[in-house]
Amino acid sequence: NIIIIGIVLLTFFTACSKTEVEPYTHKNGVYFFLGESRDLLGNITVEDRDTIYFNFTKTDIYQNEAIVSVRVNLQGVLKEVDRKFVMKVNTEKSTAKEGIDFVALEPYYVIPANEYYVRVPVTLKRTNALHSKSLQLILELEETDDLEVGIREKRTGVISFTDMLSKPSYWDDIPGNPWGEWSQVKQSLAEQFGGWEFPERFEDYNTFQFRERAKAC
């Protein structure tokens, strides 16, 4: 009996030693997380997207610059030290030009100690060109000694910005359309006096809360 018990215990401890969790040894990485936004009720929503849209028409008419926060997430484990990563502009693919349409980026940025993400400020400039078109700023993450590129599909992020309103795709299909024929001035006034913005999707416009707010305009 003693021999049998000894064999059982030896087998048990051997099995346990084989199933021990190995420590995470892979190099940590970073990736863009651009899908965080707020819905019409102020709730935070998350979508799988690679573009941030910014419109200067939503700001004060005297505001010449605006800061857009670009969230970069950590893939891996927390550490008690700051870790550097590089975020560069793809100048070949971007239609926005450094010094004219945006302020030059820093040589590197940092994931702070014990943090899973950081919000990188990107300063956009308001120019006359934005009155007739949208510009795209293509951002790319690059590997450093501290961090590699995490999710490869999310190594590129886009900021698309303009200073003009675009006609909502559902404008002409709104039942009993109270707004009439679309124009930038009409949409701007409706949003200004109503204290809300036309959402991108008709599903969001067609909610009870939004319809009630629109009626009051």
Side-chain angles (χ1 to χ4, degrees), residues 27 69 74-75 81 94 97 99-100 109 138 144 158 191-192 215 217:
K27 191 174 181 180
S69 293
L74 171 70
Q75 183 181 35
V81 294
S94 296
K97 303 302 180 184
I100 299 175
Y109 297 94
I138 313 298
T144 66
V158 180
E191 294 181 341
Q192 178 182 347
K215 287 180 182 178
C217 178

Side-chain angles (χ1 to χ4, degrees), residues 2-103:
I2 294 176
I3 294 175
I4 294 174
I5 293 173
I7 294 174
V8 172
L9 290 175
L10 179 62
T11 303
F12 174 77
F13 287 120
T14 301
C16 288
S17 64
K18 289 182 179 179
T19 57
E20 288 179 354
V21 178
E22 296 183 0
Y24 185 87
T25 57
H26 298 288
K27 191 174 181 180
N28 293 179
V30 286
Y31 62 93
F32 285 116
F33 183 79
L34 307 183
E36 187 178 87
S37 61
R38 291 185 180 274
D39 62 19
L40 296 173
L41 300 178
N43 301 313
I44 295 178
T45 59
V46 176
E47 301 178 49
D48 185 16
R49 63 181 183 182
D50 61 3
T51 302
I52 295 175
Y53 296 95
F54 181 82
N55 199 323
F56 273 103
T57 63
K58 313 299 182 181
T59 65
D60 188 282
I61 59 174
Y62 300 108
Q63 183 174 334
N64 295 320
E65 294 183 347
I67 295 177
V68 172
S69 293
V70 178
R71 176 166 164 169
V72 177
N73 277 12
L74 171 70
Q75 183 181 35
V77 296
L78 296 178
K79 288 190 177 181
E80 296 182 352
V81 294
D82 294 344
R83 285 175 283 180
K84 297 179 181 179
F85 68 91
V86 172
M87 185 178 80
K88 287 188 174 181
V89 176
N90 185 320
T91 55
E92 294 184 358
K93 295 182 178 180
S94 296
T95 54
K97 303 302 180 184
E98 180 182 307
I100 299 175
D101 304 306
F102 66 93
V103 175

